[in-house]
Amino acid sequence: MDSGRDSQTAEPNAIETIALTRCFGDMTAVDHIDLRVPYGQIFGLLGPNGAGKSTTIKMLTTLLVPTSGTALVAGFDVAKRPAEVRRRIGYVPQMLSADGALTGQENLMLSAKLYGMARADRNSRVSEALQFMGLSEAAGKLVKTYSGGMIRRLEVAQAMLHRPTVLFLDEPTIGLDPVARHTVLDRLRDLRRDFNTTILITTHDMDEADALCDVLALMHLGKVAVTGKPADLKATLGPDATLDDVFVHYSGASIEEGGNFHDIRQTRRTASRLG
């Protein structure tokens, strides 16, 4: 797999937003946020439930149209040229996207067809993706027999099958045990190292964010409260500060706080199914 970056794209950033805003009636879910994510970076989007993280990702992946402002992904405007954006991104949502009634290989072949991949390329791409994600031996087994970590790796494989420039992951390790979590994170590091894939990830695990991400943005009440490297953010609060401290300082909330019934129900359902 290669990075899939458009050779004609001159912009230095894989993701750039300018005053990006999304309103639902009288409620402003995302409020004039500015983000810049260079190519090849792993960027963490943090914040309490309801801070606007998932809404931001949905705009960047063309699932929601911005109310105002601008967002460019891989050099293309998400509102004006959504088809070009979709060709260049992969997306792993919180909810399960793999079909448990199909084998891992069948899931990937279905994704290859949906991406419009040439028939002659499908078998080699699927085999390559299975090998890269460590799923070759389980390729012929039904996904409903997979562990949570295997399912997440399969979903990342699905999202990477068409060699996107940018990969979006919304809480990809939720509900996973520590071993499965580390395996998924190692694969994400491999994607960045081997293919220069730009990754935007949301997580509530501060240790995960600290270890994985080059730069973090912490959202609160629809706005970006602070952006910086994990080490720099901790240093602003003192030599012994942790990212938990940074989270509390800038959001005024504990990591478990926030959200509504729908958010909590969806998160618990996802964790239960992955477990």
Side-chain angles (χ1 to χ4, degrees), residues 47-53 171 204 247 255-260 263-264 267:
N49 289 329
K53 306 183 304 295
E171 296 281 356
H204 281 104
F247 187 100
I255 294 173
E256 294 78 19
E257 236 174 34
N260 53 38
D263 296 328
I264 296 168
T267 299

Side-chain angles (χ1 to χ4, degrees), residues 89-149:
I89 65 171
Y91 176 41
V92 181
Q94 284 188 28
M95 297 298 290
L96 286 174
S97 55
D99 189 335
L102 301 177
T103 67
Q105 185 166 14
E106 288 169 341
N107 268 278
L108 287 172
M109 287 299 292
L110 178 59
S111 294
K113 293 175 184 177
L114 291 174
Y115 287 134
M117 198 172 295
R119 185 184 297 271
D121 296 333
R122 291 174 191 168
N123 287 333
S124 61
R125 288 280 190 91
V126 167
S127 295
E128 182 182 4
L130 287 166
Q131 183 176 5
F132 183 78
M133 289 295 167
L135 294 170
S136 296
E137 293 185 3
K141 297 179 181 179
L142 293 178
V143 171
K144 66 183 179 182
T145 68
Y146 282 16
S147 67

Side-chain angles (χ1 to χ4, degrees), residues 121-228:
D121 296 333
R122 291 174 191 168
N123 287 333
S124 61
R125 288 280 190 91
V126 167
S127 295
E128 182 182 4
L130 287 166
Q131 183 176 5
F132 183 78
M133 289 295 167
L135 294 170
S136 296
E137 293 185 3
K141 297 179 181 179
L142 293 178
V143 171
K144 66 183 179 182
T145 68
Y146 282 16
S147 67
M150 293 169 68
I151 292 172
R152 270 300 187 236
R153 279 184 279 148
L154 177 64
E155 291 174 325
V156 174
Q158 288 176 300
M160 288 298 300
L161 196 61
H162 59 306
R163 300 174 178 172
T165 303
V166 185
L167 178 62
F168 294 91
L169 303 108
D170 197 358
E171 296 281 356
T173 61
I174 190 171
L176 301 185
D177 63 62
V179 173
R181 181 181 297 112
H182 284 299
T183 301
V184 170
L185 297 182
D186 285 343
R187 286 295 182 267
L188 296 181
R189 292 187 184 97
D190 291 343
L191 287 173
R192 192 267 293 276
R193 182 195 65 216
D194 296 344
F195 310 122
N196 199 40
T197 305
T198 305
I199 298 172
L200 187 149
I201 182 172
T202 71
T203 180
H204 281 104
D205 188 318
M206 296 300 105
D207 290 335
E208 179 177 297
D210 201 352
L212 180 68
C213 298
D214 302 304
V215 173
L216 302 171
L218 198 151
M219 293 187 67
H220 181 50
L221 299 178
K223 296 179 180 289
V224 174
V226 67
T227 303

